[in-house]
Amino acid sequence: MTAGSVTHVTHEFGPVWDHRSRVLILGSIPSPSSRDAGFYYMFPRNRFWPVLAALFHQPVPEPDPAVRARFVLNHYIALWDVIQECDIHGASDASITNVVPTDIAGLLDRAPIDTIFTTGRKAGQLYRRYCLPDLEKKGYRPTMINLPSTSPANAAMSLADLIKAYQPVSKVLYGKEPGRQDNHNDYGE
């Protein structure tokens, strides 16, 4: 693969979840770093893990997939992506074409997830376009809240801004406002 090429990417690792998962956080498709590591949000400059650590007042989990999986599962969080396969240029969500979505309904069949968070404008758009119609057809109406991207490409938001924007995750999990049906909150990036 050359640096400027479009690559066909297939999501090669499944969701992180267990029978206690109450929220699902969806990205678009794993970055090249995450694909190499076989786990979510593994690009060292991505701020996803520092944001979650701050939300739960814990240290940032070490960059080991087993440690990070335990971290989210201990907080009733499932992780996955909207896209099962697509064509993409590098890690640029804006370049995504030829989308095949993941089977979100299949996961909701197995876990008591009632709120879905998407990370970034594109993940939210792709969820609404490719996943939501299938969920509705199968009788699911989870609350969907779009959060800003934690990618370093979203340089307009500081770590403090992201932590504040991600507060709905802890509110849903720990008994405060459950959110709205779909806030269509598309953060600019």
Side-chain angles (χ1 to χ4, degrees):
M1 177 181 101
T2 60
S5 68
V6 172
T7 304
H8 185 79
V9 174
T10 299
H11 202 307
E12 296 190 1
F13 49 96
V16 173
W17 70 281
D18 67 18
H19 67 281
R20 302 173 310 136
S21 299
R22 294 180 27 225
V23 305
L24 173 59
I25 298 178
L26 293 171
S28 55
I29 187 89
S31 69
S33 296
S34 293
R35 291 193 303 268
D36 290 345
F39 200 73
Y40 301 92
Y41 304 100
M42 295 299 276
F43 183 63
R45 291 184 19 232
N46 190 301
R47 297 166 292 172
F48 181 82
W49 295 106
V51 167
L52 284 190
L55 283 182
F56 302 122
H57 308 287
Q58 294 187 329
V60 176
E62 64 183 84
D64 175 296
V67 171
R68 289 183 170 184
R70 219 171 17 257
F71 180 90
V72 294
L73 293 174
N74 285 341
H75 291 287
Y76 314 104
I77 295 171
L79 295 178
W80 207 7
D81 287 304
V82 172
I83 300 171
Q84 180 60 39
E85 59 183 275
C86 69
D87 295 332
I88 188 169
H89 175 84
S92 171
D93 279 2
S95 73
I96 292 172
T97 58
N98 301 318
V99 171
V100 175
T102 54
D103 180 18
I104 304 296
L107 179 58
L108 298 186
D109 287 342
R110 300 176 296 186
I113 294 166
D114 60 8
T115 304
I116 295 175
F117 293 95
T118 54
T119 59
R121 179 186 347 201
K122 190 67 169 187
Q125 290 169 346
L126 292 167
Y127 169 83
R128 285 190 290 273
R129 181 173 179 189
Y130 294 103
C131 299
L132 188 57
D134 183 57
L135 291 173
E136 289 174 341
K137 185 168 55 173
K138 293 178 180 175
Y140 288 108
R141 293 286 298 165
T143 298
M144 182 273 202
I145 300 171
N146 189 227
L147 300 170
S149 173
T150 55
S151 164
N154 184 11
M157 293 195 80
S158 69
L159 180 60
D161 293 336
L162 288 169
I163 293 166
K164 183 176 180 180
Y166 275 65
Q167 290 298 317
V169 174
S170 60
K171 287 179 182 175
V172 167
L173 287 168
Y174 296 107
K176 299 194 175 147
E177 292 183 60
R180 294 175 291 244
Q181 179 57 38
D182 185 346
N183 72 2
H184 294 274
N185 193 7
D186 287 324
Y187 284 89
E189 295 158 38

